[in-house]
Amino acid sequence: TPVDLNIVTAALWPGQVRGAYVAHGGFRFDANDDNNVTVRAPIGSHLVEASQYLESGEKQYLLFFSVPCGFFYRFDHVRVLSPKLAEALKGLPPPTPGDSRTTNIPPVWIEQGEVIGTSIGISLSNIFVDFGLYDVRTPNNVIPNPAWADLYAADKEFGHYGVCFFDYLPAGHGEIMRSLPTGIEG
């Protein structure tokens, strides 16, 4: 599990339409007094795409990781990167408001459990981190519906491959996520 589940207050479920279809979900930390939440790599992987952008005037990082077994995962709304990732991403295009387009980068290996970031979300008003898991070996079971595929064609890179990450969390953590409140987006 990429965050301390003991401090998660709500679950953002993957695979919902929230303005647009989003295959990712996330974790909320509404009881935190600050945005200092440690995010860790759930499995050994390569960081291969990233962006930095501004949301509500604050720098945010969107990060995509490739797992050798055919999965990708992503984090969004990371505010402060680990020193290793900050160094690896110092050449990203400058952040601009609302433009989270990613840049391919030379792969950076990250060990399971390695710190990705130490602060998340938007200053004290929205403490959360997005997390998505994608099995890029085969489209998810929604894709056979051509109307759905046409409606959400904008996210062909990963949206058609999203899986429910709750099913991949260790030791009963998926059940805990399913039992948490979902918040407004739920």
Side-chain angles (χ1 to χ4, degrees):
T1 304
V3 296
D4 180 352
L5 207 51
N6 293 314
I7 60 173
V8 174
T9 58
L12 183 57
W13 285 57
Q16 295 181 328
V17 175
R18 297 187 297 271
Y21 171 77
V22 289
H24 65 271
F27 304 92
R28 293 198 53 83
F29 303 86
D30 297 320
N32 272 38
D33 292 334
D34 59 33
N35 292 71
N36 297 328
V37 173
T38 300
V39 177
R40 297 182 181 276
I43 190 168
S45 52
H46 287 100
L47 175 62
V48 294
E49 289 183 44
S51 71
Q52 58 182 347
Y53 63 98
L54 298 175
E55 185 167 319
S56 300
E58 297 183 26
K59 188 189 298 188
Q60 306 281 295
Y61 288 94
L62 171 58
L63 310 164
F64 283 91
F65 298 83
S66 175
V67 182
C69 64
F71 280 74
F72 269 75
Y73 66 90
R74 71 172 278 194
F75 291 110
D76 194 5
H77 303 288
V78 176
R79 291 170 39 118
V80 177
L81 296 171
S82 70
K84 176 180 176 178
L85 293 187
E87 176 65 24
L89 299 179
K90 66 183 180 187
L92 284 177
T96 57
D99 184 358
S100 62
R101 287 177 291 174
T102 58
T103 298
N104 291 323
I105 63 166
V108 178
W109 180 253
I110 304 295
E111 295 289 342
Q112 180 177 4
E114 190 171 337
V115 172
I116 301 298
T118 57
S119 182
I120 60 169
I122 310 298
S123 297
L124 298 182
S125 65
N126 203 354
I127 305 170
F128 72 105
V129 65
D130 286 347
F131 179 68
L133 182 63
Y134 311 93
D135 182 349
V136 296
R137 298 170 299 174
T138 185
N140 61 35
N141 62 0
V142 178
I143 298 309
N145 179 340
W148 184 93
D150 290 344
L151 185 60
Y152 299 110
D155 189 15
K156 286 182 182 172
E157 184 177 16
F158 291 107
H160 294 187
Y161 301 93
V163 298
C164 183
F165 72 86
F166 299 174
D167 297 334
Y168 295 83
L169 296 176
H173 287 187
E175 289 78 22
I176 293 170
M177 287 297 289
R178 285 181 175 90
S179 74
L180 290 170
T182 58
I184 295 168
E185 297 88 2

